[in-house]
Amino acid sequence: MILPIVAYPDKRLKQKSQNVEAFDAELHTFLDDMYETMIASNGIGLAAIQVAVPKNILILNIPDEEDEQTKDTLIEMINPVIHAKEGTTSYQEGCLSVPGFYEEVERFESIKVSYNDRHGNEHEIAAEGLLSIAIQHEMDHLLGILFIDKLSYARRKKFEKEYKRLQKEKKRV
Ligand code: Y12
Ligand code: CO
């Protein structure tokens, strides 16, 4: 089932998410719905709070070298924790909850993350490149932080003006 995506400036995106306790059939259905929602919206990452569920859940499906996005490379992270971070990098980020807007954001270059899979099994991975950036972007959602919250005062002002104009245009069509 495709779920409605919560868009900025909806206050629900500011909520802090809570850890998942039950790795049950309800969680599995929800993860499947998140995947369907993300793919239907042309996304590569989605956090549960973006579909109004304040749980520490995120999914990622980074396209491969041929720019193919297949379910083989889907990563589901439940209760993720960053254990190590190193270096800095920046990337032009976008977010399904902030449609139509992309901005350069600075992140850690490489990270180590532990998380549970849908069955509650524990994993730890080292991530760099786009995967590292996407994990950090999605984990910020779990804390109620959007990539636009990381912009300078001047860039944020410019964003608010452009976003309002885009919203008005959308209403007209
Ligand atoms: C690097 C930076 C950020 C992430 C987080 C995941 N972000 C996305 O998946 C964003 C997807 C996105 C898709 C949109 O829709 C289309 O392109 C059709 C979109 O909408 C518009 O631009 C109108 C906005 C964002 C991962 C890695
Ligand atoms: Co996002």
Side-chain angles (χ1 to χ4, degrees):
M1 179 175 52
I2 296 174
L3 307 167
I5 294 180
V6 177
Y8 180 81
D10 194 307
K11 293 264 186 302
R12 286 174 291 181
L13 292 167
K14 290 241 144 265
Q15 259 181 281
K16 282 191 175 54
S17 294
Q18 303 298 314
N19 267 356
V20 171
E21 308 282 350
F23 296 84
D24 54 11
E26 193 186 329
L27 172 69
H28 297 175
T29 304
F30 178 61
L31 284 163
D32 295 342
D33 289 346
M34 280 183 71
Y35 177 73
E36 212 182 313
T37 304
M38 181 181 72
I39 294 300
S41 314
N42 288 316
I44 58 169
L46 188 72
I49 192 62
Q50 294 181 270
V51 289
V53 175
K55 295 271 183 200
N56 285 328
I57 301 172
L58 63 90
I59 61 167
L60 299 160
N61 198 7
I62 309 289
D64 64 21
E65 300 89 64
E66 277 101 50
D67 216 24
E68 299 261 341
Q69 192 183 28
T70 63
K71 206 173 178 180
D72 303 351
T73 52
L74 172 66
I75 301 175
E76 297 173 338
M77 289 188 171
I78 296 145
N79 305 337
V81 178
I82 295 182
H83 289 286
K85 31 202 183 190
E86 217 172 84
T88 52
T89 186
S90 69
Y91 192 82
Q92 188 141 49
E93 297 189 11
C95 178
L96 289 173
S97 294
V98 191
F101 191 77
Y102 297 84
E103 260 295 355
E104 201 80 12
V105 177
E106 198 171 283
R107 301 276 182 193
F108 296 107
E109 191 171 29
S110 55
I111 54 171
K112 281 188 182 143
V113 198
S114 64
Y115 62 94
N116 296 112
D117 64 24
R118 60 164 63 202
H119 305 291
N121 300 314
E122 285 177 18
H123 298 266
E124 185 170 327
I125 59 161
E128 54 182 28
L130 189 54
L131 179 61
S132 167
I133 291 163
I135 294 171
Q136 292 173 70
H137 175 112
E138 299 309 332
M139 282 185 74
D140 268 356
H141 275 297
L142 309 183
L143 298 169
I145 299 167
L146 297 174
F147 77 104
I148 49 168
D149 296 329
K150 295 187 170 287
L151 304 179
S152 69
Y153 180 80
R155 277 155 83 202
R156 179 62 182 256
K157 279 268 173 209
K158 193 167 159 251
F159 158 75
E160 294 293 348
K161 209 171 155 188
E162 275 177 27
Y163 195 73
K164 265 188 201 134
R165 186 177 51 76
L166 263 173
Q167 302 297 98
K168 256 191 204 163
E169 250 173 47
K170 264 189 203 164
K171 268 189 202 152
R172 270 200 305 126
V173 182

